[in-house]
Amino acid sequence: MDCERGSGSLRSRCDLSQLEVIPARSSVTKGATLQLQVKAHYSDGSVEDVTKWAKFASADETVAKVDPANGQVEIIGHGKAP
């Protein structure tokens, strides 16, 4: 059974099972960039790209800068993320 939708494309009668951030892990070098993506997995088995609704932040801005609106990551230093 598909979930019913509320206003816009937001789901109103479906349970969120999991949020997935892609890539889950990454090893990149200083100067590299990468794009984060967020997918919502629902109880009916459907999957939806919800990146545009996610807000992003860096745990260490001396290592990586993240655009909070779109998840674009720029590696600016050496280090590890938790």
Side-chain angles (χ1 to χ4, degrees):
M1 178 174 105
D2 288 338
C3 300
E4 293 182 27
R5 294 189 179 265
S7 61
S9 64
L10 295 176
R11 295 169 185 267
S12 61
R13 293 186 186 170
C14 190
D15 292 329
L16 177 65
S17 301
Q18 173 189 357
L19 280 176
E20 176 184 20
V21 178
I22 302 167
R25 304 194 101 190
S26 182
S27 179
V28 292
T29 59
K30 185 177 176 180
T33 61
L34 67 112
Q35 178 65 50
L36 298 175
Q37 181 182 30
V38 181
K39 289 188 177 183
H41 296 258
Y42 295 98
S43 57
D44 68 347
S46 63
V47 179
E48 183 176 13
D49 184 343
V50 295
T51 305
K52 64 183 175 184
W53 292 300
K55 297 297 177 202
F56 301 91
S58 176
D60 186 344
E61 292 188 354
T62 66
V63 175
K65 290 196 303 188
V66 182
D67 185 321
N70 66 16
Q72 181 75 30
V73 180
E74 178 185 4
I75 309 306
I76 58 172
H78 298 283
K80 288 186 176 183

